[in-house]
Amino acid sequence: METAPHSVVGLAVALGVGLLIGIERERRKGRGHGRQAAGLRSFAVAAVAGGLAQWLQVPGLVVSGAVFVALLAAVSHWKSRSNDPGMTTELALFTTYLIGVQSVLAPAFGGACGVGLAALLAARERLHRFATDLLSEQELHDGLLLAALGLIVLPLIPADPVEVLAGIAPRPLAALVLLILAMQAVGHVALRWLGARGGALLAGFAGGFVSSTATIASFGSQARAQPTQMAVLAGGAGLSSAATWLQGLVVCAALSPAAALAVLPMALAGALGAAGIGLLALRGHRDTPAPVALPPPTGSALRPREALVVAGLLGLVAAGVSQAQRWFGDAGLNLGIAIAALADAHAPIASLAALHVAGHLSSQGVVLGALIAIGVNSLTRGVVAAVSGGRAYAQRVGAALAAGLATASAVSWALGHAGR
């Protein structure tokens, strides 16, 4: 049989993959009578055997080889003298054979599978520590719930636009609910893993994806109770305002990718401006002795009611703003956006994206409307910061809000001026 260059490359990849996985297993097999059966040579031979079985193209040879390797792995596990009851090595040996087969069919994909398997085997201690020590039982349940919502529930939701929602499809709204729940989980885990300082910053950023106003109010009440920790809490509140810009971008991307491209420069500028000034609030705080007394996370990290309220608000405001444009034109549209943004900035942005994807609004109109929405909502958040946290807290948070709005406006003006 003539050996094609592609097959030679595939066999070489199979050998390399077998050696790579075998080196990792050789370091784990131990020494003496209690060592495991498969090591460097066994894995290299299994990978090459799979590659040859595929290259020879004898009917049934690949399947027969797989059965043979599986039987060898089963016998090895049965006769093993090791105290480890696991079957990782045996399963890895069988998988290595299959990767050898795949390496001849598609060398690049086979090599990627081999590297992935070797990395998975090498991360044994880290994965065990994550599963048993770092991850709590409740967080595991929350993760399974998110996976079920994303992989089972979300595909069943209709993807076609609905007229009463101003042309918004229900599935993107459901995806936003899933995103909000995921950010809630991130903030919960961050607070437990990173401690008070890092947890407060990341929790503030994650909270901004749900409600920057609520995050600023919560941190403000804590800043009033613990004035020495006001800098860290103001920094977290500033990062929540940065998340508002990014959340607006995510909403646009979910409903109208073309509108998201137009909003992208402005949103990134606003996020960077708010985050930069928010983090400046931490200057001089490094030597503060007392820790931030954020409450330890207990119970479930997921708050479905909040996520559903946000999604419902998005749909209602989208319908209302769409009707305002139909009745009063662009002036009514901008006025409706400003009124809606007093309570929430993301809902009017969703309506703008829906109007854009329906062909009723230009990209520049989306950019202007998004700027109005976040600008008006920034006033609301500034008032909330003053009421909840006092004058010093409000000054720091207001500086982050103003910086984000100023940088976003400057970038929007510059791009609009350059496009003329």
Side-chain angles (χ1 to χ4, degrees):
M1 179 180 297
E2 183 179 356
T3 303
H6 180 81
S7 299
V8 173
V9 172
L11 289 174
V13 170
L15 176 60
V17 164
L19 291 173
L20 178 64
I21 300 173
I23 289 173
E24 195 283 331
R25 286 291 90 187
E26 186 74 28
R27 296 170 63 89
R28 302 280 186 186
K29 67 181 293 186
R31 298 178 181 274
H33 295 289
R35 69 183 185 275
Q36 296 180 353
L40 174 60
R41 292 174 298 174
S42 299
F43 278 87
V45 170
V48 173
L52 287 173
Q54 177 60 41
W55 174 67
L56 292 174
Q57 298 182 0
V58 175
L61 182 58
V62 172
V63 176
S64 300
V67 172
F68 179 69
V69 172
L71 289 175
L72 284 180
V75 172
S76 172
H77 180 74
W78 177 63
K79 296 181 62 177
S80 175
R81 301 174 184 177
S82 172
N83 293 325
D84 185 3
M87 299 181 62
T88 303
T89 298
E90 291 78 9
L91 291 174
L93 183 65
F94 179 72
T95 306
T96 301
Y97 171 84
L98 297 180
I99 292 176
V101 174
Q102 182 61 49
S103 296
V104 173
L105 292 172
F109 183 65
C113 291
V115 172
L117 177 59
L120 180 64
L121 295 173
R124 173 187 176 183
E125 281 80 8
R126 294 183 179 89
L127 292 175
H128 285 187
R129 180 170 176 267
F130 172 78
T132 57
D133 297 335
L134 297 180
L135 191 67
S136 68
E137 189 73 20
Q138 184 61 56
E139 289 165 353
L140 175 61
H141 292 165
D142 291 341
L144 292 175
L145 177 59
L146 286 176
L149 291 175
L151 300 177
I152 300 175
V153 178
L154 187 61
L156 299 178
I157 297 176
D160 297 329
V162 177
E163 182 64 25
V164 296
L165 292 179
I168 297 179
R171 186 176 296 175
L173 281 180
L176 288 177
V177 172
L178 186 62
L179 174 64
I180 292 171
L181 291 174
M183 294 310 300
Q184 290 174 353
V186 169
H188 178 94
V189 174
L191 191 58
R192 191 167 67 85
W193 287 5
L194 301 181
R197 182 184 177 93
L201 296 177
L202 189 51
F205 181 73
F209 282 89
V210 180
S211 174
S212 178
T213 304
T215 302
I216 290 173
S218 175
F219 280 18
S221 62
Q222 295 178 48
R224 187 182 290 274
Q226 299 183 11
T228 57
Q229 303 308 313
M230 187 262 294
V232 168
L233 294 166
L239 290 181
S240 77
S241 65
T244 297
W245 291 98
L246 298 180
Q247 176 74 337
L249 180 62
V250 170
V251 169
C252 283
L255 301 176
S256 176
L261 289 176
V263 173
L264 176 63
M266 179 188 72
L268 292 181
L272 290 175
I277 298 300
L279 292 177
L280 282 177
L282 299 178
R283 293 181 59 184
H285 182 71
R286 184 172 300 174
D287 298 330
T288 302
V292 180
L294 292 173
T298 57
S300 176
L302 305 183
R303 299 182 296 277
R305 181 180 300 176
E306 294 181 10
L308 291 174
V309 166
V310 171
L313 186 61
L314 289 175
L316 291 176
V317 171
V321 171
S322 177
Q323 291 298 327
Q325 189 203 33
R326 292 179 183 177
W327 293 342
F328 305 108
D330 291 341
L333 172 66
N334 292 331
L335 180 59
I337 289 170
I339 294 174
L342 289 172
D344 180 77
H346 303 137
I349 293 176
S351 66
L352 293 170
L355 291 172
H356 180 271
V357 77
H360 301 318
L361 188 64
S362 65
S363 297
Q364 197 60 33
V366 176
V367 173
L368 177 60
L371 193 60
I372 293 173
I374 297 182
V376 171
N377 188 255
S378 296
L379 297 176
T380 300
R381 286 177 282 163
V383 172
V384 169
V387 172
S388 63
R391 180 177 178 181
Y393 175 77
Q395 287 177 343
R396 293 174 181 262
V397 175
L401 294 171
L405 192 59
T407 53
S409 300
V411 168
S412 177
W413 177 86
L415 292 177
H417 186 73
R420 292 178 183 177

